[in-house]
Amino acid sequence: MDRTQGAFYRVVRRELDRMVSRRLYFGVCIALPLFCILFMTTIFGSGQMENIPIGIVDLDQTATSRQISRTIATVPTSRVTARYADAKAARDAVQKKEIYAYVVIPHNFESDLLGGRNVALPYYYHFALLSVGIELHSAFETVLANLSVAPVAAAGIGQGASERRIESFILPVNLQAHPLFNPSLDYSIYLTNPFFFVLFQIVILLVTMYVLGSEIKFKTAADWLETADANIFTAVTGKLLPYTAIFIAMGILGNFVMFGIAGLPLGTGFLPVNLATALFIVATQAFGVFIFSLFPALSIIISIASMVGSLGATLSGVTFPVPYMYAPIYYLSFLFPVRHFVEINQNILYGDYGFAYTWQNASCLFVFMLAALLMLPHLKRAILSRKYENIE
């Protein structure tokens, strides 16, 4: 046991010497995670989309059309940046992304409105950008719905009807919306935390695979194994331990900044969310070890790590519920640690429903560690064979 401990400490000390010998390690282990924390806590600003550029095509040029234009301009989601002489010019501006929506006030709009004839107030918006399109659609529906009932209300009041009676006629059913866990519809509440860890898992995968692959690439793997007394478990765990400590510290710092300083709501204390963070980081490192053991060549594995990290972002379930994805994609998502971490974190953040709702995801994260352990003999054989050292 003492010999194994001595070998473990020697591997850790050797890795620490390698870390301080190159500024690259400082950049990817500390500077890059700090940038991710800063980026994700500031990217959403006030938490809602504001001042999205839109245009107005006023073909009527009447007092009513000017009032409609002023009303549309008061919506905080959008900002009227241009007025166009015809719909074609506005459409061209949307295609060039100079604006993202426009409203057309047609000819004879006021006269048709006062004459009691049916009138339409069309609006067009860029829906290829899903988030922008949804925000603009919601904003237009809100402001134009009020404009559409205003003439009816004015006519009713003019004929002596009470406002209460008009309201019950125009809006016979009152709808009440109660957005759970995020009543202000703040983007940062449900995107900042998971997106930070989506970026973070890419960093963890790349660093894990690089520090392992560099031993083979630069032909120092034999010395690495010799330092560990030819024990591959000691070699891998001792090598990755300094990075584990740094990444856990960065993860805890990120949680503190997001929940303690930025004020994102937290349904429980810091201990559960930090424990989940530590488990996620170790599982992601284990996932990196597993993949590297399959393809122990640095030039190949970096591309694979980037691809896997990008897929993890898609399959994390942040922007689309994973259970409702196409069935093969749903089962594929179980192969990514970040997918399980996001589900654990959402349970903790939104309601702290308890271990009964998270034990399956927590168990899956431990499975990644077991899978990495099972691949260590294969990794050792690959190192001893030296056949991957000359792969460019």
Side-chain angles (χ1 to χ4, degrees), residues 130 190 313-327 329-331 333-334 339 342-343 346:
L130 188 61
Y190 68 92
T314 304
L315 302 178
S316 62
V318 177
T319 56
F320 191 87
V322 175
Y324 298 98
M325 293 181 179
Y326 186 53
I329 304 300
Y330 166 71
Y331 292 111
S333 71
F334 282 87
R339 177 255 204 270
V342 166
E343 292 208 6
Q346 287 178 343

Side-chain angles (χ1 to χ4, degrees), residues 193-202 280 309 312-313 316 318 338 342:
N193 180 262
F195 271 12
F196 163 68
F197 285 101
V198 164
L199 293 175
F200 198 24
Q201 59 109 18
I202 298 176
F280 161 72
S316 62
V318 177
V338 69
V342 166

Side-chain angles (χ1 to χ4, degrees), residues 216-217 295-300 386-392:
I216 297 177
K217 176 68 175 178
F295 310 98
L298 187 60
S299 57
I300 299 175
R386 296 179 177 268
K387 62 181 180 181
Y388 295 98
E389 291 181 351
N390 296 319
I391 296 179
E392 297 295 334

Side-chain angles (χ1 to χ4, degrees), residues 53-376:
I54 66 171
I56 293 179
V57 181
D58 188 354
L59 302 177
D60 198 36
Q61 296 294 327
T62 60
T64 300
S65 66
R66 287 189 289 272
Q67 178 61 40
I68 291 174
S69 298
R70 287 192 293 269
T71 302
I72 293 173
T74 62
V75 179
T77 303
S78 60
R79 177 168 55 92
V80 178
T81 59
R83 298 176 185 273
Y84 300 93
D86 54 58
K88 182 180 184 303
R91 181 181 178 85
D92 291 340
V94 170
Q95 292 174 340
K96 296 176 182 177
K97 294 185 180 178
E98 296 173 357
I99 59 174
Y100 291 90
Y102 62 94
V103 179
V104 178
I105 305 175
H107 292 290
N108 303 319
F109 180 82
E110 184 181 66
S111 61
D112 290 341
L113 184 65
L114 296 177
R117 293 181 288 274
N118 289 332
V119 292
L121 194 62
Y123 61 90
Y124 305 84
Y125 55 97
H126 198 311
F127 206 58
L129 303 172
L130 188 61
S131 297
V132 175
I134 291 174
E135 288 291 325
L136 288 173
H137 173 72
S138 177
F140 281 142
E141 284 292 297
T142 300
V143 67
L144 297 181
N146 293 331
L147 289 173
S148 66
V149 300
V152 179
I157 293 174
Q159 295 178 7
S162 65
E163 292 186 10
R164 180 182 294 274
R165 184 173 183 181
I166 293 173
E167 182 179 353
S168 64
F169 172 74
I170 296 177
L171 299 172
V173 177
N174 290 320
L175 300 179
Q176 294 185 353
H178 301 279
L180 299 178
F181 313 116
N182 189 8
S184 61
L185 301 180
D186 189 331
Y187 275 82
S188 61
I189 287 179
Y190 68 92
L191 290 181
T192 296
N193 180 262
F195 271 12
F196 163 68
F197 285 101
V198 164
L199 293 175
F200 198 24
Q201 59 109 18
I202 298 176
V203 174
I204 296 171
L205 285 174
L206 288 173
V207 170
T208 300
M209 296 180 185
Y210 177 80
V211 298
L212 295 175
S214 62
E215 296 282 5
I216 297 177
K217 176 68 175 178
F218 301 115
K219 302 179 181 180
T220 58
D223 177 68
W224 171 39
L225 275 179
E226 182 180 352
T227 305
D229 287 341
N231 187 320
I232 189 63
F233 175 79
T234 300
V236 171
T237 55
K239 187 173 188 63
L240 295 182
L241 181 61
Y243 304 98
T244 305
I246 294 173
F247 289 146
I248 290 177
M250 290 294 106
I252 292 174
L253 176 62
N255 289 331
F256 174 74
V257 171
M258 286 180 280
F259 302 116
I261 298 178
L264 298 183
L266 180 62
T268 183
F270 273 98
L271 180 60
V273 73
N274 287 334
L275 288 176
T277 298
L279 178 60
F280 161 72
I281 289 169
V282 175
T284 304
Q285 285 185 300
F287 186 43
V289 172
F290 176 82
I291 297 176
F292 179 78
S293 299
L294 294 175
F295 310 98
L298 187 60
S299 57
I300 299 175
I301 206 62
I302 294 300
S303 300
I304 295 176
S306 302
M307 180 187 68
V308 169
S310 301
L311 285 174
T314 304
L315 302 178
S316 62
V318 177
T319 56
F320 191 87
V322 175
Y324 298 98
M325 293 181 179
Y326 186 53
I329 304 300
Y330 166 71
Y331 292 111
L332 179 66
S333 71
F334 282 87
L335 301 179
F336 296 86
V338 69
R339 177 255 204 270
H340 305 287
F341 173 74
V342 166
E343 292 208 6
I344 294 173
N345 240 21
Q346 287 178 343
N347 176 287
I348 293 174
L349 301 183
Y350 298 148
D352 191 20
Y353 297 114
F355 186 69
Y357 291 89
T358 59
W359 71 270
Q360 291 179 321
N361 298 111
S363 300
C364 287
L365 292 179
F366 281 105
V367 169
F368 287 103
M369 303 178 201
L370 177 61
L373 289 175
L374 295 176
M375 288 299 297
L376 289 183

